[in-house]
Amino acid sequence: MLKAIVLSSWLVILYATSIDLLVPDHQRQVVQFRSPGDLMIGGLFSMQSAALNVTNRTKPQTPPCERFYPMGYRAHLAMRFAIDEINNSTKLLPNVKLGYEIYDICLESLVAMRSTMMFLSKYQSDVIEVQCNYTDYSTRVTAIIGPGSSELAIVISRLFSFFLIPQISYSASSELLSDKKKFPSFFRTIPSDKKQAEAMALLVKEFQWNWVAAIGTDDEYGRRGMEKFVELASEKGVCITYEDLIPIHETTDGFSEKIEQIVNNLVETEVNVTVIFADDRYVDAFMNVVIQQQVTDKVWIGSEAWITDANVARIQNISSVGTVIGVGMKSGEMPGFEAYVSKILSDPAIKESISFSLYSNNTSGFCMSGDEDEVCRSQCKECETLTAENFTTIIDSPSMRVAFNVYSAVYAVAHALHKILKCDNGDCNREIKFYPWQLLQQLAKVNFTINSRQVYFTSSGDPPTGYDIMNWQWDTGAMPKFQVVGEFKTLDSSLHVDKTKIHWHTKDQQIPVSRCSKQCEPGQIKNVKGYHTCCYECDDCPAGFFQNVTGDPNKCTQCKKHQWSLPRSQACQEREEQFLEWTDAVIIPMVILSIIGLLLIIAIVILFAKNHNTPVVKAAGGNICFLMLFFLFCSCCSFYCFVGRPNWVFCTIRQPVFSIGFTGCLSVLLSKSFQVAALYSCQSTCLQNYGRYFFFLASILIQVVLCFVWQYWTPPQVIANYNVTEKIIVIECEEGSLAGFGLMLSFNGALAVICFMCTFMGRSSAKTYNMARSLTFSMLVYFIAWIFFIPTYATSEGKFVPCLQFLSGLISMYGIIGAYFIPKCYILLFKVQCNTLAFF
Ligand SMILES: *[C@@H]1O[C@H](CO)[C@@H](O)[C@H](O)[C@H]1NC(C)=O
Ligand SMILES: *[C@@H]1O[C@H](CO)[C@@H](O)[C@H](O)[C@H]1NC(C)=O
Ligand SMILES: *[C@@H]1O[C@H](CO)[C@@H](O)[C@H](O)[C@H]1NC(C)=O
Ligand SMILES: *[C@@H]1O[C@H](CO)[C@@H](O)[C@H](O)[C@H]1NC(C)=O
Ligand SMILES: *[C@@H]1O[C@H](CO)[C@@H](O)[C@H](O)[C@H]1NC(C)=O
Ligand SMILES: *[C@@H]1O[C@H](CO)[C@@H](O)[C@H](O)[C@H]1NC(C)=O
Ligand SMILES: *[C@@H]1O[C@H](CO)[C@@H](O)[C@H](O)[C@H]1NC(C)=O
Ligand SMILES: *[C@@H]1O[C@H](CO)[C@@H](O)[C@H](O)[C@H]1NC(C)=O
Ligand SMILES: *[C@@H]1O[C@H](CO)[C@@H](O)[C@H](O)[C@H]1NC(C)=O
Ligand SMILES: *[C@@H]1O[C@H](CO)[C@@H](O)[C@H](O)[C@H]1NC(C)=O
Ligand SMILES: *[C@@H]1O[C@H](CO)[C@@H](O)[C@H](O)[C@H]1NC(C)=O
Ligand SMILES: CC(=O)N[C@H]1CO[C@H](CO)[C@@H](O)[C@@H]1O
């Protein structure tokens, strides 16, 4: 492994040296600044950019640096400012003068490579001594600040990593650089793009956009950032409708055509929110096309590279594109920086030197005083037209964000040096000799506060800082204000957005919508159609199901057995337990009637007992009448077992008592009707008194056996019936086998039918006319009651079912009392004169 690294490093070095041969001499030296010192810090900044417009790459050559790049210029000033401050300070590095050597790397890796070689050499050249053992190899610089771009940082870090020279980047944010195995000497003061993508995904989620496009530049920064965003956003349920890359190395025509094609595709997909993970230069080109094509009222989510970029913000008519919101680097305070910059730029000598430098001959480039015999040349074509005024825009540029990253990076190096040189007691030990890898160890441990910002590096070399959420607000003028509307914290990955602060640049100032399908109402679940999970239909959860918001909201969960729900519910309600209660309105009159019935029976018993030996009572059956009334009484008492919360005892006894009571009653009536019939047809010997008792006992025995068999095989039990309606649970007695129940009722029915028929046979006899009439009526009432009962019972459900049997029993009882006993009582009480044997 080590061998491979060494080998590859040497290959790179060979390659780098070979560039010398390829780069024409006048292009070799790039703009630089230099200040001598005891310890040197290297700086790699891009103050110009290579031409985007390279049409003919037929020969290997570095593209010319031709556009002035203010951001890089601003950043380098921050480094110089920090070093100045540190030199002035009597605490941090007393008696040690830091120097710097700053190269313009022109946003080009070939140019950067050469500057790197300069740093790695021991002396002022780009030659690296060949050694077997680099442990005690010292380079010209102790640490390197930069470069800003991830693409360049990745190329260069390999070299620095081999020598273990600490390198702190201020804006290379690629996630790849967090890999400490590949880049052991790399640190940065900007969070990794992974965090940025996370912040963007949370931002998209915050406004419930799920139909989003993603555009990135076709470089390390754009590709990786976009990839990460797409991955994280998809995890959060956001659908990426469209993704594409803006090319960076294409011919002129292809380049603008591709951008136009991307914009057209965005319009076609009707997406309202687009994430742009790109370098400012490309966003500039992209936004110009967006404005040209009159794409308006969209939301553009910017990455930190361009969200605070003045060039993009100054594009004409940029406000028409809609809302720009994005993730910006956290800024920090740098008191005195503005004064420092204006002092440098307003110094007439410097101004002159800048004006001079802008010629592409050898006057001085951007070189400042302090250079010895170094020759600086500039190939900056645009620089020919630069004036001192152009530099003042650097001061009023709203963004000091990158500048602060540079500033804190320099301070981190100073704090590490402070530890190494043992400067704690007011003086540094300048004699201590140290190697870059020793500084690296100290740098990993720094932890300090600078202007209220905590600076340290996590184990992956990343800072703990988060992001500001920025919003472009065109309150006045063409240049928007970059308003901070929220914050993303890296340590716990949390996003806080103050929605009231955001200006939505739309017609109605409302939060724009970007969804494939509109959000489902509570209680609805998504029914995904097609490929994208964001395009769906909303289906209601049916009754009896609910949407578990905390669990799986895309599924309808069935309610528990004892619960119910309406369609479209998010929760279930408890079902109400029901049974026939004493307080139910329907039962009260029935209970009153039954009590009256009971009282009537008692009254009749007393009346009959008093008139025990009278013909009326004898005709009614004599002693057996009391037995009959007793059974009727029992039966009537069993009615109360049908009311109230069912329990096992009542369930078990109510049907036998009920039916045996009626059996007793009916068997007496039947023997009576036999008597009536017998008077007409057979002789009275048929049924003597004993015979009546025997018949009575036999009937009861049959009914008892029926009940016993029925209840033995299928014992009744108290059950909760969930099937009545979904909102209630009926607590009821399950009667067991319906056949048994039917048989029991049929037996009583059969007794009644026979009784009824017998009375018909005897009806024509005048003597028994009254008796027959009584029997017929009571049986008729009995039939009506039970004919009404059977179909109703069979088809009814719910708590009122027991009521039916109560009612039928009540009617039957009143039928018997009314038709059979009341006429006799009437005679006993009011027609005493009729109570003679002659009358019967
Ligand atoms: C690109 O370069 C060609 C020729 O060098 C020039 O004609 C063209 O205008 C340039 N395009 C841009 C966008 O600068
Ligand atoms: C590319 O270079 C060749 C040879 O130098 C030249 O003939 C051709 O016109 C160039 N193409 C463009 C687009 O400039
Ligand atoms: C450093 O000290 C010098 C002289 O005392 C002063 O002119 C300069 O402004 C100071 N620089 C900073 C950055 O404080
Ligand atoms: C490299 O040099 C250092 C110090 O000079 C020494 O401790 C180390 O053993 C050397 N490594 C090899 C592989 O020779
Ligand atoms: C900017 O918008 C104005 C008014 O809509 C229009 O007249 C002008 O041409 C636009 N400028 C550009 C560069 O598109
Ligand atoms: C540099 O070039 C400018 C114009 O291109 C010229 O006026 C000036 O004399 C040149 N300076 C030197 C030192 O050659
Ligand atoms: C520099 O300023 C002049 C006007 O002062 C302007 O025309 C020119 O475009 C500016 N150049 C840059 C690169 O901003
Ligand atoms: C840095 O120091 C502060 C106190 O000054 C401490 O609270 C914090 O935990 C330290 N952080 C690390 C990573 O050591
Ligand atoms: C985009 O916004 C327009 C206008 O506000 C709206 O009609 C359209 O439905 C939105 N598109 C999406 C995908 O939400
Ligand atoms: C919803 O789902 C969660 C997680 O599965 C579970 O803990 C919770 O009990 C469910 N809620 C209901 C009302 O069932
Ligand atoms: C309720 O219905 C289910 C299924 O239809 C059945 O298995 C169950 O026996 C019924 N319960 C009652 C008490 O009727
Ligand atoms: C006190 C001191 O030495 N200040 C120097 C710090 O370094 C800058 C150059 O970076 C000098 O200009 C200061 O004079």
Side-chain angles (χ1 to χ4, degrees), residues 211 270 272 513-516:
W211 196 239
E270 292 180 358
N272 287 347
V513 177
S514 193
R515 303 185 67 86
C516 182

Side-chain angles (χ1 to χ4, degrees), residues 359 361-363:
Y359 296 107
N361 53 20
N362 64 351
T363 34

Side-chain angles (χ1 to χ4, degrees), residues 770-827:
N770 277 338
M771 178 58 74
R773 197 181 51 182
S774 297
L775 285 171
T776 312
F777 270 127
S778 50
M779 287 309 103
L780 220 50
V781 172
Y782 188 89
F783 288 148
I784 289 168
W786 291 97
I787 285 168
F788 151 79
F789 170 78
I790 289 165
T792 329
Y793 183 86
T795 54
S796 302
E797 274 186 312
K799 68 172 186 174
F800 292 113
V801 170
C803 200
L804 292 173
Q805 203 173 349
F806 193 131
L807 186 63
S808 302
L810 201 61
I811 294 171
S812 312
M813 183 187 82
Y814 269 98
I816 292 167
I817 293 176
Y820 191 79
F821 289 106
I822 295 293
K824 297 178 177 61
C825 293
Y826 178 76
I827 292 170

Side-chain angles (χ1 to χ4, degrees), residues 447-449 454 456-457:
N447 181 6
F448 61 95
T449 312
Q454 185 86 24
Y456 62 88
F457 300 105

Side-chain angles (χ1 to χ4, degrees), residues 387-402:
T387 64
E389 276 72 46
N390 290 104
F391 289 93
T392 57
T393 61
I394 294 160
I395 301 169
D396 52 50
S397 163
S399 164
M400 286 294 166
R401 290 159 193 275
V402 173

